[in-house]
Amino acid sequence: MAALRTAVPVLALLGLCLGPAAAATPLVIWHGMGDSCCNPVSMGYIQKLVEKRIPGIYVLSLKIGSTLIQDMENSFFMNANAQVREVCSQLATDPHLRGGYNAMGFSQGGQFLRAVAQRCPAPPMLNLISIGGQHQGRVYGFPRCPGESSHLCDWIRKTLDLGAYTKAVQEHLVQAEYWHDPLKEEDYRKNSIFLADINQERGINETYKKNLMALKKFVMVKFLNDTMVDPPISEWFGFYKSGQAKETIPLQETLLYKEDRLGLQEMDRAGKLVFLGVKGDHLHFSEEWFDSTILPFLQ
């Protein structure tokens, strides 16, 4: 009893010294093409899942526009650079994010959040998780769209085939801005207004490199049975070998990596790059996989 009576005030004192438990790192989510911030079967589901697994976490699921319909439409028709500027403004004015945040992008949201990391270092992005993001772009196998957006995909596919690198299409069609045709590399480098810029295809922006290298972890998830992204290795920052559209090469064999234009080689050597594979088609994964594989990067 004497030992117990002595221990009680010591424990109380320790409690006073330790204070409350540290708050969970906030999370920012960016949805993919044809989706919205709060769709209950996609981003809304993910947000609730994270909030359930990490009590007290602040989750911001990005909405581009004043309504959910605008948010969905903007994923097709609002210039990607303008979207990134809008998101940078949202993050800079959110008091919950001042101390830093983790970011998780789905499909095109993955490369858009990488642009945020490179262009907008305040507040600081700590970890970037790209789930099916196409960091070297995509070509040919344009994805199916969810639900009522399917007719838009048919029209967009035809438009891209006709003139992905024309000024009018580049300025007004989001998917053209990360369209990467390995048979038209010069057109891509000269005319891509988004992907060629963030991938340092026209010169080295040292600020982009410095900001990306500040990440603690850059996690890239590739869907091993992906039928919607061509080539799927773009989800791991690989792409077709230049000048043809059959043989692919991993990130480590690209000039982007060998010349270390984005700092990815140095990040790789420091253990900051994480390459994850999951069985299934594009954005198809189980709750169990998400819990065991993705949640540890958020805690």
Side-chain angles (χ1 to χ4, degrees), residues 5-231:
R5 284 196 297 269
T6 303
V8 171
V10 172
L11 290 173
L13 181 60
L14 284 173
L16 288 173
C17 294
L18 291 172
T25 301
L27 174 65
V28 173
I29 298 173
W30 199 333
H31 63 79
M33 177 190 68
D35 203 355
S36 69
C37 67
C38 313
N39 186 330
V41 298
S42 58
M43 296 303 98
Y45 171 79
I46 292 294
Q47 179 170 352
K48 288 184 178 179
L49 182 61
V50 171
E51 290 171 342
K52 181 180 178 181
R53 298 291 191 267
I54 308 176
I57 190 173
Y58 173 73
V59 179
L60 172 63
S61 189
L62 293 165
K63 182 170 71 171
I64 315 298
S66 57
T67 68
L68 298 187
I69 294 297
Q70 285 184 356
D71 188 22
M72 184 274 289
E73 290 176 343
N74 285 336
S75 74
F76 294 108
F77 302 119
M78 183 177 177
N79 182 291
N81 293 309
Q83 290 193 55
V84 170
R85 285 193 296 271
E86 162 65 21
V87 166
C88 288
S89 177
Q90 287 188 35
L91 303 185
T93 56
D94 190 327
H96 296 91
L97 306 178
R98 288 174 184 164
Y101 63 96
N102 292 322
M104 183 162 58
F106 292 81
S107 198
Q108 70 181 25
Q111 57 261 35
F112 293 172
L113 278 171
R114 176 164 64 85
V116 171
Q118 292 175 208
R119 295 174 177 175
C120 308
M125 185 185 296
L126 306 178
N127 295 300
L128 171 58
I129 302 169
S130 169
I131 300 181
Q134 303 102 56
H135 294 281
Q136 286 276 25
R138 66 151 64 95
V139 70
Y140 304 131
F142 193 72
R144 303 178 297 276
C145 290
E148 297 178 359
S149 301
S150 58
H151 66 287
L152 284 174
C153 274
D154 292 334
W155 176 81
I156 290 170
R157 189 180 296 109
K158 292 175 183 176
T159 303
L160 289 168
D161 287 340
L162 288 172
Y165 298 122
T166 62
K167 184 176 180 181
V169 175
Q170 281 287 312
E171 289 287 346
H172 301 291
L173 185 56
V174 171
Q175 288 68 40
E177 295 163 32
Y178 56 87
W179 191 256
H180 187 174
D181 190 335
L183 304 181
K184 298 179 180 179
E185 286 285 359
E186 189 60 27
D187 286 343
Y188 160 70
R189 281 191 290 270
K190 288 172 58 178
N191 300 311
S192 170
I193 65 173
F194 175 71
L195 189 68
D197 175 65
I198 65 169
N199 280 4
Q200 309 271 48
E201 297 283 3
R202 292 189 289 266
I204 306 300
N205 182 326
E206 292 294 342
T207 300
Y208 282 5
K209 183 174 179 178
K210 175 185 175 183
N211 290 343
L212 189 64
M213 290 177 65
L215 290 172
K216 294 180 178 179
K217 294 287 184 183
F218 179 9
V219 181
M220 288 169 269
V221 176
K222 173 187 170 186
F223 290 88
L224 301 179
N225 309 105
D226 205 318
T227 63
M228 299 174 71
V229 173
D230 187 359

